[in-house]
Amino acid sequence: MEDDKSVMPMFVRDEDDRPKVAYNEFSDEIPVISLSGIDSPDDRAHIRTQITEACEKYGIFQVIDHGVDADLISTMARQCCEFFNLPSHEKQQFGASEGKPGSFFISSPFKGELVQNWRETVTQCTFPIKSGDYTLWPDKPDGWKAVTKEYSEKMMDLSHQLLGVLSEAMGLETEALSKACVVMDQRVMINYYPKCPQPDLTLGLPRHTDPGTITLLYQDLVGGLQATRDDGKTWITVPPIAGALVVNLGDHAYWASNGRFTSAEHRAVVNSNESRLSIATFQYPTAEATVFPLAIREGEEAVMEQAITFAEMYRRKMSSDIERPKLKKLDGKMDKSKLESRPIGEIFV
């Protein structure tokens, strides 16, 4: 991808989907919150207020003083860069082929997407252990699996800590959101966005929300993460901060909070100057977990007509995310029933 002199048609976005804000045109709108003192009652109350305001307004914020060792994050990022710098044929050894599952892919793992994404990705379920098949992970560079395992464990701990704060903000016991997930599933997705000859025509990732509960994101110092809170009318670029982690809420947090907390809409833009690396750690409810509002404040109505399993919520979302651009292309002529849930086998490659 990086050697191409122009973007192939498969990567070209419609005019209204193309980036209008540069990858390095940073905004200070997204709050940066220190977690220092989170175990002290007084400090925790102040942190809880800050996080609550960010989640109600943006659904996205950054945390510093989060307790995850800087050397571990640096080692994880370095090994990821080493992998993506491998020759293409070596990376492809870890891709899916002839029905064999894999952890490496280019663009997207979903079937039927109209436009391709300007990225390479390694992804793998890392928790619970029974579903974390580390045999699918790359075996180079040396130490990859051990570092990834330690990194994902620290991200899990931090996620539970943040969900505890949000549970308290809803007037619930600290473990309420974590318990609503039953057994937390975790996936680590490592995205590499190569330099792009025509970054104004394409995206690394299109506009979306995450389906799970909470996402922790490491981004290098290049920039490219963008967020919107006005239905895509305007976008802001989230500034990379050394040592910080970006936190954004997913759809499950939106439903569980009865719409009080925003499911952050975001995307990734690319550039022609530098490649970019990000590491997203997604926390999901287990497939059988029931999705429903955990707390409804006085005067509010429930945002869900009936509770559903997370597996069903996930299927409906993935179907919608893939089919909606087709509906848009056809100016609303597509049968909207096609936006309903489809079997997972029809969604993923």
Side-chain angles (χ1 to χ4, degrees):
M1 293 171 66
E2 204 165 327
D3 295 329
D4 295 336
K5 295 181 179 180
S6 62
V7 171
M8 291 181 288
M10 69 179 69
F11 292 102
V12 177
R13 296 272 163 188
D14 287 342
E15 179 67 34
D16 58 350
D17 290 332
R18 297 175 189 173
K20 304 296 190 295
V21 179
Y23 76 101
N24 56 0
E25 189 178 329
F26 302 127
S27 166
D28 60 1
E29 284 192 47
I30 300 301
V32 179
I33 300 172
S34 171
L35 300 185
S36 178
I38 195 169
D39 294 325
S40 164
D42 290 341
D43 290 337
R44 187 178 182 87
H46 176 63
I47 292 169
R48 183 166 57 242
T49 297
Q50 291 180 293
I51 290 177
T52 301
E53 290 176 353
C55 290
E56 290 178 342
K57 189 173 182 180
Y58 302 97
I60 187 170
F61 56 98
Q62 299 202 64
V63 291
I64 56 175
D65 305 317
H66 44 65
V68 182
D69 186 71
D71 288 340
L72 174 61
I73 296 175
S74 176
T75 301
M76 180 74 178
R78 186 185 70 251
Q79 292 207 331
C80 292
C81 289
E82 289 178 11
F83 172 81
F84 287 111
N85 285 329
L86 291 172
S88 180
H89 71 276
E90 292 192 43
K91 291 183 286 189
Q92 291 289 359
Q93 292 176 7
F94 306 102
S97 62
E98 299 179 354
K100 175 185 75 69
S103 58
F104 172 75
F105 60 84
I106 295 175
S107 178
S108 173
F110 302 126
K111 297 178 180 178
E113 289 197 295
L114 290 178
V115 183
Q116 299 298 297
N117 304 317
W118 194 268
R119 67 165 178 168
E120 297 179 5
T121 298
V122 172
T123 184
Q124 183 58 52
C125 297
T126 50
F127 194 85
I129 299 301
K130 64 181 181 181
S131 66
D133 186 356
Y134 289 96
T135 64
L136 299 178
W137 277 84
D139 56 13
K140 52 182 84 167
D142 292 340
W144 172 286
K145 295 175 185 177
V147 171
T148 301
K149 185 174 185 296
E150 183 180 359
Y151 180 87
S152 63
E153 288 172 350
K154 298 301 182 183
M155 293 297 110
M156 176 71 82
D157 292 342
L158 180 56
S159 295
H160 281 299
Q161 191 173 44
L162 293 169
L163 291 178
V165 171
L166 290 175
S167 297
E168 294 168 8
M170 290 192 289
L172 304 171
E173 62 172 327
T174 303
E175 293 78 21
L177 275 167
S178 292
K179 287 181 178 178
C181 296
V182 184
V183 177
M184 186 81 80
D185 282 351
Q186 184 188 63
R187 184 177 304 158
V188 176
M189 177 176 284
I190 305 156
N191 292 308
Y192 174 72
Y193 304 98
K195 289 188 291 186
C196 178
Q198 295 176 294
D200 56 318
L201 298 181
T202 189
L203 290 171
L205 268 177
R207 171 184 171 185
H208 68 286
T209 59
D210 296 338
T213 313
I214 192 170
T215 303
L216 303 180
L217 179 81
Y218 160 84
Q219 61 168 341
D220 64 17
L221 298 180
V222 174
L225 173 65
Q226 296 189 339
T228 181
R229 63 187 186 93
D230 58 8
D231 200 29
K233 296 181 180 65
T234 59
W235 289 89
I236 59 173
T237 307
V238 180
I241 299 173
L245 293 169
V246 180
V247 181
N248 70 265
L249 298 187
D251 297 339
H252 177 242
Y254 170 83
W255 298 116
S257 68
N258 199 46
R260 178 181 176 183
F261 299 143
T262 300
S263 181
E265 285 195 284
H266 56 287
R267 68 183 184 186
V269 299
V270 294
N271 72 88
S272 58
N273 299 317
E274 298 181 87
S275 299
R276 175 176 176 258
L277 179 79
S278 71
I279 307 171
T281 306
F282 303 101
Q283 311 290 158
Y284 299 90
T286 192
E288 297 78 23
T290 304
V291 180
F292 65 98
L294 299 181
I296 301 176
R297 293 183 291 183
E298 185 176 354
E300 290 182 342
E301 295 184 1
V303 294
M304 298 183 70
E305 293 182 2
Q306 61 181 21
I308 58 174
T309 65
F310 179 73
E312 178 60 20
M313 192 204 90
Y314 185 84
R315 282 193 292 266
R316 291 181 187 181
K317 175 180 174 55
M318 293 299 104
S319 297
S320 175
D321 284 356
I322 294 169
E323 297 295 342
R324 198 174 303 278
K326 298 178 182 178
L327 180 62
K328 178 181 175 184
K329 281 273 189 185
L330 296 174
D331 294 323
K333 296 176 183 177
M334 180 179 288
D335 181 357
K336 292 187 178 181
S337 66
K338 293 184 182 292
L339 296 182
E340 293 300 316
S341 171
R342 291 189 294 158
I344 288 295
E346 293 182 11
I347 296 173
F348 289 96
V349 174

